[in-house]
Amino acid sequence: IPPLRRPLGVPAVPTTKTKTLSERSADFLDQDKQLERRRHLCVAIDSRVKEASTGYFYDLHMTRVHGGKTWMAPSVLIREDKALYFPNVVGSRLDNGVKTHTTHMCAGKVSVIAMLSTKISEIHARSYAKSLNDLYREHPVYQYIQINLQENVLKSILVNIFLSSLRSKIPPSQHTRYLVSRQNMEYVRESLGMTNSRIGYVYLVDENLKIRWAACADAKEEEEDALIRCVGVLLNR
C-alpha cells in the first residue's frame, strides 16, 4: 500500500458566511471562477460516469482489497506551510438537532474528525480513536468529532428515523460532537482523498483548521501510534 503522497484538503480558508446577491453576481462574472466551476462539473460528471460503469457495489467490492485501504497515513505531521484546510461541513448535533458548522467547532482546537457513512466505516474510526481518546479526552484543547455523512437521500431519511436508536448507541459524552450531515461533498471528495464511500476516513485538524494528518480504512498499528504522537505534538505546542 503506497504512502499518502500529497496534503489533503482545500486551498481556501473555510467560512460559514453566506454570499450576498452582489457577491454571487460578481462570482458569475469572474472568468476564473467560472472556469473553476466548469472544472468541478467535469470532475463530477467523470465521477458519475465511473460510478455507473463500475457498478453500484464497486466500492464494497474494493473493501476486499486491503480492507479498502488505498494509502498509508504519514508517520509525522504534514508541514503547516504545506497543509490545506478542512472544508466547512454542516450537520445536526446528535444531542439537540441544532445545525452546527465544523469551522466553528474546530477553530482554536486540536480536532480528530472521523467521517462515517456505513457500519464498516464506524469500525474503522474506532480502530483509531480508542487509545487516542483514552489518552487525551481530558485535555481542554482536544476533541473527537464524528460526522455521520449520508449524501444519499433515502439513507439520510432512514438515519433521521432511527436517531433515537443512534443516540442510545453513542456514549452521551460524545453527543455534542456527533453531527448528522446531508451535505453534498462532490466538489471536495477528491481533495479529501475520500474515494471509497464505504470506508472510514480520519483527519487531524489543527487550531487553524488545517489538515495535518489523515488516514483511511482500518488502522495499522503504526498508523495508530503516529496519530497519537501527532496529536501530542500539536497539544504540546
Side-chain angles (χ1 to χ4, degrees):
I1 305 173
L4 178 64
R5 300 188 185 281
R6 61 182 174 90
L8 299 180
V10 296
V13 180
T15 179
T16 61
K17 180 184 175 184
T18 302
K19 289 186 177 181
T20 64
L21 179 60
S22 60
E23 287 172 333
R24 291 198 298 270
S25 299
D27 285 350
F28 183 76
L29 297 174
D30 188 312
Q31 187 175 10
D32 289 338
K33 290 186 177 180
Q34 287 301 315
L35 289 172
E36 181 65 14
R37 279 199 190 90
R38 289 174 189 170
R39 189 185 70 81
H40 276 310
L41 182 60
C42 289
V43 170
I45 290 173
D46 184 55
S47 175
R48 295 302 184 190
V49 170
K50 286 180 179 177
E51 183 179 334
S53 62
T54 54
Y56 181 77
F57 295 103
Y58 177 75
D59 282 354
L60 186 61
H61 171 72
M62 290 306 294
T63 62
R64 299 174 184 173
V65 182
H66 301 302
K69 186 181 286 290
T70 52
W71 41 268
M72 291 290 293
S75 58
V76 296
L77 287 170
I78 297 168
R79 281 174 43 182
E80 185 175 9
D81 60 334
K82 300 292 184 183
L84 300 172
Y85 293 96
F86 188 83
N88 184 55
V89 179
V90 184
S92 302
R93 274 174 40 171
L94 189 59
D95 61 334
N96 56 17
V98 171
K99 293 289 184 184
T100 304
H101 297 261
T102 55
T103 296
H104 289 157
M105 294 178 72
C106 296
K109 297 278 190 178
V110 172
S111 310
V112 173
I113 302 177
M115 302 294 287
L116 316 172
S117 57
T118 62
K119 189 65 178 176
I120 295 173
S121 67
E122 293 174 9
I123 295 170
H124 291 161
R126 280 200 295 271
S127 69
Y128 293 92
K130 187 181 184 307
S131 297
L132 181 74
N133 288 335
D134 288 344
L135 279 171
Y136 298 121
R137 70 160 51 91
E138 300 301 326
H139 196 290
V141 180
Y142 171 77
Q143 62 180 348
Y144 178 62
I145 298 172
Q146 298 173 84
I147 301 177
N148 190 322
L149 181 66
Q150 301 298 339
E151 297 173 86
N152 179 283
V153 175
L154 180 58
K155 286 187 70 177
S156 176
I157 291 172
L158 290 174
V159 168
N160 286 327
I161 290 174
F162 295 106
L163 273 180
S164 59
S165 174
L166 187 60
R167 289 189 187 98
S168 67
K169 294 177 181 177
I170 306 297
S173 61
Q174 297 179 17
H175 286 191
T176 59
R177 292 180 296 277
Y178 190 106
L179 304 183
V180 178
S181 176
R182 291 180 55 187
Q183 185 165 321
N184 186 339
M185 303 292 284
E186 192 70 62
Y187 285 159
V188 298
R189 184 177 299 282
E190 186 66 29
S191 300
L192 291 173
M194 294 172 55
T195 55
N196 188 322
S197 63
R198 298 295 185 270
I199 68 173
Y201 292 87
V202 174
Y203 304 92
L204 172 57
V205 178
D206 69 14
E207 70 279 5
N208 297 315
L209 309 176
K210 286 189 170 185
I211 298 175
R212 306 296 300 278
W213 187 91
C216 67
D218 201 36
K220 303 291 187 184
E221 184 177 352
E222 59 268 34
E223 291 179 309
E224 187 180 2
D225 292 342
L227 178 56
I228 289 173
R229 284 198 311 273
C230 289
V231 170
V233 169
L234 291 181
L235 292 177
N236 288 334
R237 288 177 183 174

